[in-house]
mmCIF file of all heavy atoms in Angstrom:
data_model
loop_
_atom_site.group_PDB
_atom_site.id
_atom_site.type_symbol
_atom_site.label_atom_id
_atom_site.label_comp_id
_atom_site.label_asym_id
_atom_site.label_seq_id
_atom_site.Cartn_x
_atom_site.Cartn_y
_atom_site.Cartn_z
ATOM 1 N N GLY A 328 3.167 4.437 10.716
ATOM 2 C CA GLY A 328 3.363 3.570 9.569
ATOM 3 C C GLY A 328 3.195 2.099 9.909
ATOM 4 O O GLY A 328 2.973 1.728 11.070
ATOM 5 N N PRO A 329 3.329 1.219 8.918
ATOM 6 C CA PRO A 329 3.107 -0.216 9.130
ATOM 7 C C PRO A 329 4.098 -0.871 10.069
ATOM 8 O O PRO A 329 3.834 -1.966 10.572
ATOM 9 C CB PRO A 329 3.198 -0.799 7.717
ATOM 10 C CG PRO A 329 3.975 0.205 6.928
ATOM 11 C CD PRO A 329 3.624 1.533 7.514
ATOM 12 N N GLU A 330 5.233 -0.236 10.317
ATOM 13 C CA GLU A 330 6.203 -0.813 11.246
ATOM 14 C C GLU A 330 5.962 -0.372 12.682
ATOM 15 O O GLU A 330 6.705 -0.767 13.585
ATOM 16 C CB GLU A 330 7.619 -0.444 10.811
ATOM 17 C CG GLU A 330 8.024 -1.062 9.472
ATOM 18 C CD GLU A 330 9.469 -0.782 9.114
ATOM 19 O OE1 GLU A 330 10.155 -0.118 9.919
ATOM 20 O OE2 GLU A 330 9.911 -1.227 8.049
ATOM 21 N N ASP A 331 4.940 0.432 12.912
ATOM 22 C CA ASP A 331 4.611 0.879 14.267
ATOM 23 C C ASP A 331 3.746 -0.205 14.923
ATOM 24 O O ASP A 331 2.531 -0.196 14.789
ATOM 25 C CB ASP A 331 3.869 2.211 14.216
ATOM 26 C CG ASP A 331 3.679 2.817 15.584
ATOM 27 O OD1 ASP A 331 4.663 3.271 16.180
ATOM 28 O OD2 ASP A 331 2.526 2.810 16.081
ATOM 29 N N VAL A 332 4.397 -1.138 15.620
ATOM 30 C CA VAL A 332 3.695 -2.319 16.140
ATOM 31 C C VAL A 332 3.835 -2.486 17.648
ATOM 32 O O VAL A 332 3.180 -3.357 18.234
ATOM 33 C CB VAL A 332 4.181 -3.597 15.432
ATOM 34 C CG1 VAL A 332 3.875 -3.536 13.943
ATOM 35 C CG2 VAL A 332 5.676 -3.840 15.661
ATOM 36 N N VAL A 333 4.675 -1.682 18.292
ATOM 37 C CA VAL A 333 4.916 -1.840 19.728
ATOM 38 C C VAL A 333 4.296 -0.666 20.480
ATOM 39 O O VAL A 333 4.599 0.498 20.185
ATOM 40 C CB VAL A 333 6.423 -1.926 20.035
ATOM 41 C CG1 VAL A 333 6.656 -2.011 21.542
ATOM 42 C CG2 VAL A 333 7.042 -3.126 19.341
ATOM 43 N N ASP A 334 3.442 -0.961 21.456
ATOM 44 C CA ASP A 334 2.812 0.078 22.259
ATOM 45 C C ASP A 334 3.841 0.753 23.155
ATOM 46 O O ASP A 334 4.832 0.141 23.577
ATOM 47 C CB ASP A 334 1.706 -0.512 23.133
ATOM 48 C CG ASP A 334 0.587 -1.138 22.323
ATOM 49 O OD1 ASP A 334 0.566 -0.946 21.092
ATOM 50 O OD2 ASP A 334 -0.264 -1.819 22.924
ATOM 51 N N ILE A 335 3.569 2.020 23.461
ATOM 52 C CA ILE A 335 4.377 2.756 24.437
ATOM 53 C C ILE A 335 3.537 2.923 25.690
ATOM 54 O O ILE A 335 2.583 3.706 25.698
ATOM 55 C CB ILE A 335 4.807 4.124 23.886
ATOM 56 C CG1 ILE A 335 5.627 3.949 22.610
ATOM 57 C CG2 ILE A 335 5.606 4.895 24.934
ATOM 58 C CD1 ILE A 335 6.006 5.249 21.938
ATOM 59 N N PRO A 336 3.825 2.179 26.755
ATOM 60 C CA PRO A 336 2.980 2.241 27.951
ATOM 61 C C PRO A 336 3.245 3.482 28.778
ATOM 62 O O PRO A 336 4.162 4.255 28.506
ATOM 63 C CB PRO A 336 3.390 0.969 28.708
ATOM 64 C CG PRO A 336 4.825 0.754 28.316
ATOM 65 C CD PRO A 336 4.946 1.234 26.902
ATOM 66 N N GLY A 337 2.430 3.669 29.803
ATOM 67 C CA GLY A 337 2.625 4.776 30.735
ATOM 68 C C GLY A 337 1.683 5.930 30.447
ATOM 69 O O GLY A 337 0.951 5.959 29.463
ATOM 70 N N ALA A 338 1.767 6.933 31.331
ATOM 71 C CA ALA A 338 0.870 8.075 31.236
ATOM 72 C C ALA A 338 1.064 8.851 29.940
ATOM 73 O O ALA A 338 0.130 9.413 29.384
ATOM 74 C CB ALA A 338 1.083 8.999 32.439
ATOM 75 N N ASP A 339 2.296 8.922 29.459
ATOM 76 C CA ASP A 339 2.592 9.671 28.237
ATOM 77 C C ASP A 339 2.696 8.745 27.030
ATOM 78 O O ASP A 339 3.177 9.160 25.968
ATOM 79 C CB ASP A 339 3.903 10.447 28.396
ATOM 80 C CG ASP A 339 3.837 11.473 29.507
ATOM 81 O OD1 ASP A 339 2.744 12.034 29.710
ATOM 82 O OD2 ASP A 339 4.860 11.690 30.174
ATOM 83 N N GLY A 340 2.276 7.504 27.167
ATOM 84 C CA GLY A 340 2.420 6.534 26.097
ATOM 85 C C GLY A 340 1.288 6.605 25.095
ATOM 86 O O GLY A 340 0.400 7.460 25.173
ATOM 87 N N ARG A 341 1.332 5.681 24.154
ATOM 88 C CA ARG A 341 0.287 5.612 23.136
ATOM 89 C C ARG A 341 0.231 4.197 22.595
ATOM 90 O O ARG A 341 1.187 3.427 22.710
ATOM 91 C CB ARG A 341 0.564 6.584 21.993
ATOM 92 C CG ARG A 341 1.863 6.292 21.257
ATOM 93 C CD ARG A 341 1.929 7.014 19.936
ATOM 94 N NE ARG A 341 3.199 6.786 19.267
ATOM 95 C CZ ARG A 341 3.488 5.680 18.582
ATOM 96 N NH1 ARG A 341 2.603 4.711 18.481
ATOM 97 N NH2 ARG A 341 4.660 5.532 17.988
ATOM 98 N N GLN A 342 -0.891 3.888 21.989
ATOM 99 C CA GLN A 342 -1.039 2.611 21.309
ATOM 100 C C GLN A 342 -0.349 2.661 19.957
ATOM 101 O O GLN A 342 -0.363 3.681 19.274
ATOM 102 C CB GLN A 342 -2.516 2.275 21.109
ATOM 103 C CG GLN A 342 -3.272 1.917 22.370
ATOM 104 C CD GLN A 342 -4.701 1.517 22.060
ATOM 105 O OE1 GLN A 342 -5.311 2.027 21.137
ATOM 106 N NE2 GLN A 342 -5.237 0.589 22.839
ATOM 107 N N SER A 343 0.253 1.562 19.583
ATOM 108 C CA SER A 343 0.821 1.458 18.244
ATOM 109 C C SER A 343 -0.297 1.422 17.219
ATOM 110 O O SER A 343 -1.473 1.180 17.546
ATOM 111 C CB SER A 343 1.663 0.182 18.135
ATOM 112 O OG SER A 343 0.833 -0.966 18.296
ATOM 113 N N LEU A 344 0.069 1.655 15.955
ATOM 114 C CA LEU A 344 -0.927 1.565 14.890
ATOM 115 C C LEU A 344 -1.533 0.170 14.844
ATOM 116 O O LEU A 344 -2.745 0.007 14.652
ATOM 117 C CB LEU A 344 -0.292 1.912 13.543
ATOM 118 C CG LEU A 344 -1.210 1.785 12.331
ATOM 119 C CD1 LEU A 344 -2.389 2.743 12.431
ATOM 120 C CD2 LEU A 344 -0.427 2.033 11.036
ATOM 121 N N LEU A 345 -0.703 -0.850 15.033
ATOM 122 C CA LEU A 345 -1.217 -2.223 14.990
ATOM 123 C C LEU A 345 -2.238 -2.449 16.089
ATOM 124 O O LEU A 345 -3.318 -3.021 15.829
ATOM 125 C CB LEU A 345 -0.056 -3.220 15.133
ATOM 126 C CG LEU A 345 -0.451 -4.695 15.167
ATOM 127 C CD1 LEU A 345 -1.209 -5.096 13.903
ATOM 128 C CD2 LEU A 345 0.792 -5.578 15.365
ATOM 129 N N THR A 346 -1.962 -2.005 17.307
ATOM 130 C CA THR A 346 -2.920 -2.196 18.398
ATOM 131 C C THR A 346 -4.189 -1.384 18.160
ATOM 132 O O THR A 346 -5.297 -1.842 18.479
ATOM 133 C CB THR A 346 -2.284 -1.830 19.743
ATOM 134 O OG1 THR A 346 -1.332 -2.853 20.095
ATOM 135 C CG2 THR A 346 -3.317 -1.731 20.850
ATOM 136 N N GLN A 347 -4.081 -0.184 17.598
ATOM 137 C CA GLN A 347 -5.276 0.587 17.276
ATOM 138 C C GLN A 347 -6.161 -0.184 16.304
ATOM 139 O O GLN A 347 -7.383 -0.247 16.469
ATOM 140 C CB GLN A 347 -4.881 1.938 16.674
ATOM 141 C CG GLN A 347 -4.243 2.896 17.653
ATOM 142 C CD GLN A 347 -3.865 4.216 17.001
ATOM 143 O OE1 GLN A 347 -4.577 4.714 16.136
ATOM 144 N NE2 GLN A 347 -2.742 4.786 17.406
ATOM 145 N N VAL A 348 -5.543 -0.772 15.280
ATOM 146 C CA VAL A 348 -6.298 -1.554 14.299
ATOM 147 C C VAL A 348 -6.943 -2.760 14.976
ATOM 148 O O VAL A 348 -8.118 -3.065 14.740
ATOM 149 C CB VAL A 348 -5.383 -1.993 13.144
ATOM 150 C CG1 VAL A 348 -6.056 -3.061 12.289
ATOM 151 C CG2 VAL A 348 -5.006 -0.793 12.292
#
Side-chain angles (χ1 to χ4, degrees):
E330 294 185 1
D331 188 71
V332 298
V333 177
D334 298 350
I335 300 176
D339 298 326
R341 62 165 177 79
Q342 289 184 327
S343 64
L344 177 62
L345 177 59
T346 287
Q347 290 180 37
V348 167

